[in-house]
Amino acid sequence: MTNTAGSDLALFQVDAFTATPFRGNPAAVCLSEEPLPEATMKAIAAEMNLSETAFVSPIRSAPTSGEDYHLRWFTPLVEVPLCGHATLATAKVLFEKGLASGEIVRFATRSGILSARREGTHIVLDFPQDPPVPADVPEEVTRALGIASPAEEILLGREALMLLLRLRSPEEVKALSPDFTRLSKMRLPYGATGVIVTAPEKSGNSRSEQASFDFVSRYFGPWEGIDEDPVTGSAHTVLGPYWAKRLGKRRLLAFQASQRGGELHLRLPGENAPEEAKSRMSISGEAVIVLSGAFHL
């Protein structure tokens, strides 16, 4: 890993929240010895043109702080404060390439210290919860999303800045065909930068006869340069506490019903958990490296 001019940066493309290539959510992972200039990261993310590119470099100044790596995430247009699938992808690369010394790796990010640990074939992310609060959405936004009937409930994840709209059925969620050109010209309320649509999954999912999902979702973010994100870990920091409370469950199996699709295993702390753990949750899934190479600066 290096970031000197005229040298190569190690670069990987990883399909996250899937064990099958060409499913889940692809993320680029760029490794460097030192943090890259922000302009360079933006240029690389635009060049990769994936929903997120993760930039990771080792922390050398404070080896006993419990943080192993710096981690930042960029869409083709902007930096984002939290990204689940690109964190999963980064951990997959570090574990598989022998760059993580143990079974846990820690990241210093804009959203605080995040950790990832290996658990069999899965990688478990420790993320903050973002319980949503009641909100409103202009009718023009719901029309542009393609929602014909009024949403059952509208909420806001205040940390993720994501609106959450609950629809009546998974079929409604899967059938949506948003007008992204119209959406991108609208300003969302509350400073939100994306919209989650979700519904309870009552009868499993046609993609997997073995899985019985608790809920399905989709995520739209043309305001961030992502029309539809295939699988969105950060959206599940909002969805997890919402559905855990509504369904009365601490363990949830989620399916993001994009064209690529992806499965996420969620676990929320119980009432007897330590106080510092009550605002956290785990998001786990599998990942597969589909491409490795170098980016020449």
Side-chain angles (χ1 to χ4, degrees):
M1 296 189 293
T2 183
N3 64 338
T4 58
S7 59
D8 292 338
L9 296 168
L11 187 71
F12 301 85
Q13 186 164 316
V14 183
D15 290 341
F17 294 114
T18 180
T20 306
F22 318 124
R23 296 285 304 278
N25 200 354
V29 178
C30 186
L31 308 181
S32 61
E33 287 287 354
E34 303 291 339
L36 297 173
E38 188 165 308
T40 301
M41 290 188 284
K42 287 181 176 179
I44 291 173
E47 184 79 8
M48 296 308 298
N49 200 33
L50 296 172
S51 59
E52 260 87 19
T53 298
F55 295 90
V56 59
S57 59
I59 295 176
R60 304 188 184 283
S61 58
T64 60
S65 66
E67 307 159 23
D68 300 318
Y69 290 91
H70 298 285
L71 179 61
R72 293 173 73 175
W73 313 273
F74 288 79
T75 78
L77 291 183
V78 298
E79 183 175 10
V80 294
L82 183 66
C83 180
H85 86 278
T87 304
L88 184 73
T90 300
K92 174 70 174 180
V93 169
L94 295 176
F95 286 132
E96 189 156 309
K97 300 302 176 182
L99 299 172
S101 57
E103 296 299 303
I104 298 177
V105 62
R106 289 163 291 272
F107 303 106
T109 79
R110 284 177 56 188
S111 292
I113 305 303
L114 307 177
S115 68
R117 73 175 188 274
R118 271 193 292 204
E119 196 171 274
T121 60
H122 281 233
I123 293 172
V124 183
L125 306 176
D126 173 47
F127 268 34
Q129 292 186 47
D130 188 6
V133 297
D136 291 305
V137 173
E139 188 177 340
E140 63 178 0
V141 173
T142 59
R143 286 200 302 266
L145 286 166
I147 298 173
S149 303
E152 299 284 289
E153 196 170 8
I154 300 172
L155 304 105
L156 171 71
R158 291 176 291 184
E159 297 299 322
L161 290 177
M162 295 175 181
L163 291 162
L164 186 154
L165 282 68
R166 177 169 60 87
L167 306 186
R168 288 178 298 182
S169 71
E171 290 74 25
E172 285 185 88
V173 171
K174 296 169 190 176
L176 290 180
S177 182
D179 185 334
F180 293 114
T181 301
R182 285 177 61 196
L183 284 171
S184 65
K185 295 176 181 177
M186 297 175 181
R187 178 173 293 182
L188 294 177
Y190 314 106
T193 57
V195 177
I196 307 163
V197 291
T198 187
E201 175 63 275
K202 299 181 175 65
S203 58
N205 183 275
S206 60
R207 291 179 184 257
S208 173
E209 295 299 326
Q210 302 303 313
S212 180
F213 298 103
D214 293 294
F215 65 90
V216 302
S217 68
R218 292 171 70 185
Y219 178 76
F220 306 116
W223 307 272
E224 300 173 305
I226 311 162
D227 283 348
E228 179 168 6
D229 196 32
V231 192
T232 316
S234 57
H236 286 77
T237 66
V238 182
L239 287 161
Y242 173 75
W243 283 113
K245 182 177 180 180
R246 186 168 185 85
L247 299 176
K249 300 176 68 172
R250 291 194 300 111
R251 293 176 179 261
L252 299 160
L253 181 59
F255 182 73
Q256 192 152 333
S258 64
Q259 185 175 2
R260 292 175 65 102
E263 297 183 14
L264 306 93
H265 297 252
L266 313 179
R267 183 174 181 179
L268 288 93
E271 293 182 1
N272 296 326
E275 198 62 35
E276 63 273 14
K278 289 184 178 179
S279 62
R280 311 291 295 182
M281 64 179 292
S282 69
I283 302 173
S284 69
E286 297 181 90
V288 56
I289 298 173
V290 296
L291 181 68
S292 62
F295 201 103
H296 187 68
L297 291 179

